[in-house]
């Protein structure tokens, strides 16, 4: 009888240990799968960003700090950039893209969105096109609001020169 009890104990321990190993393997596989998925999404989105040829030309020509002249080509290039950001933002909201991956792009997104040209096109032509995505619109508006200085148009006052009047002393 003791042998049967010992065999039952060994069998029960083997089942418990086997189950624990299966559970650990499952969680390890899930983590590995999530990391692989994030890496693939990151690479695909990076490729999509690199394929924004007209936007890259604007950036290479250092035109992102220019005032927008109302041309549609520039507006289209910037809209494509915002469309890509909206897709990335939606992937984060759905949990498909992990926030740690999304955070890799944040400094660059903030730098680009707060340039004169991009922020003007956002307010003039693109913002209303994203009204179906209020979370995304709020995200961009928050970036713009946090980066703004004292002026409503986003100007920080860094290049404003204040005229100083020299006091003249008259001699009699």
């Amino acid at each position: 009888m003791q042998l049967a009890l010992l065999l039952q104990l060994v069998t029960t321990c083997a089942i418990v240990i086997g189950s624990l190993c299966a559970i650990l393997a499952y969680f390890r596989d899930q983590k590995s799968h999530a990391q692989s998925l994030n890496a693939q999404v990151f690479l695909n989105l990076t490729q999509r960003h690199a394929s924004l040829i007209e936007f890259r030309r604007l950036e290479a020509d250092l035109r992102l700090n220019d005032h927008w002249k109302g041309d549609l080509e520039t507006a289209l290039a910037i809209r494509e950039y915002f469309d890509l950001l909206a897709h990335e933002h939606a992937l984060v909201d759905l949990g498909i893209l992990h926030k740690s991956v999304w955070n890799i792009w944040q400094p660059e997104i903030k730098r680009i969105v707060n340039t004169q040209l991009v922020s003007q096109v956002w307010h003039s032509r693109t913002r209303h096109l994203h009204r179906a995505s209020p979370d995304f619109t709020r995200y961009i508006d928050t970036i713009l609001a946090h980066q703004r200085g004292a002026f409503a148009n986003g100007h920080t006052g860094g290049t404003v020169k204040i005229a100083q009047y020299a006091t003249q002393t008259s001699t009699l």
Side-chain angles (χ1 to χ4, degrees):
M1 225 201 240
Q2 291 217 1
L3 183 60
L5 188 60
L6 183 61
L7 225 72
Q8 186 178 9
L9 181 63
V10 168
T11 304
T12 303
C13 286
I15 290 171
V16 169
I17 291 172
S19 298
L20 287 175
C21 287
I23 290 169
L24 288 174
Y26 171 79
F27 284 119
R28 197 167 121 195
D29 182 53
Q30 289 291 25
K31 182 180 177 184
S32 176
H33 178 70
Q35 288 173 336
S36 176
L37 180 65
N38 276 320
Q40 186 62 44
V41 170
F42 176 80
L43 290 174
N44 287 345
L45 291 173
T46 301
Q47 286 175 340
R48 280 186 63 195
H49 186 76
S51 71
L52 298 175
I53 301 298
E54 292 304 315
F55 184 80
R56 287 286 170 213
R57 284 189 183 134
L58 289 172
E59 194 171 25
D61 293 341
L62 302 175
R63 290 184 46 211
L64 294 182
N65 287 315
D66 293 350
H67 286 280
W68 183 47
K69 296 174 180 76
D71 59 305
L72 293 179
E73 296 81 21
T74 300
L76 178 62
I78 293 173
R79 179 182 176 188
E80 288 175 345
Y81 177 75
F82 279 116
D83 288 347
L84 177 59
L85 290 183
H87 296 158
E88 293 171 355
H89 190 267
L91 291 174
V92 172
D93 283 347
L94 293 171
I96 295 171
L97 180 65
H98 196 270
K99 285 188 179 189
S100 63
V101 176
W102 172 245
N103 288 336
I104 292 170
W105 292 308
Q106 291 310 298
E108 185 70 4
I109 291 170
K110 289 175 183 176
R111 180 189 68 79
I112 289 172
V113 167
N114 282 290
T115 60
Q116 183 70 33
L117 184 66
V118 175
S119 63
Q120 279 183 329
V121 173
W122 169 255
H123 288 296
S124 301
R125 300 249 339 159
T126 308
R127 186 179 191 281
H128 73 279
L129 298 173
H130 289 281
R131 65 181 170 264
S133 306
D135 288 341
F136 175 70
T137 304
R138 194 174 314 111
Y139 162 72
I140 296 297
D141 288 343
T142 301
I143 289 175
L144 288 167
H146 286 343
Q147 298 297 321
R148 286 192 175 169
F151 302 100
N153 66 355
H155 196 284
T156 61
T159 59
V160 173
K161 295 186 181 188
I162 300 172
Q164 294 190 8
Y165 297 100
T167 57
Q168 297 180 352
T169 57
S170 60
T171 56
L172 294 172

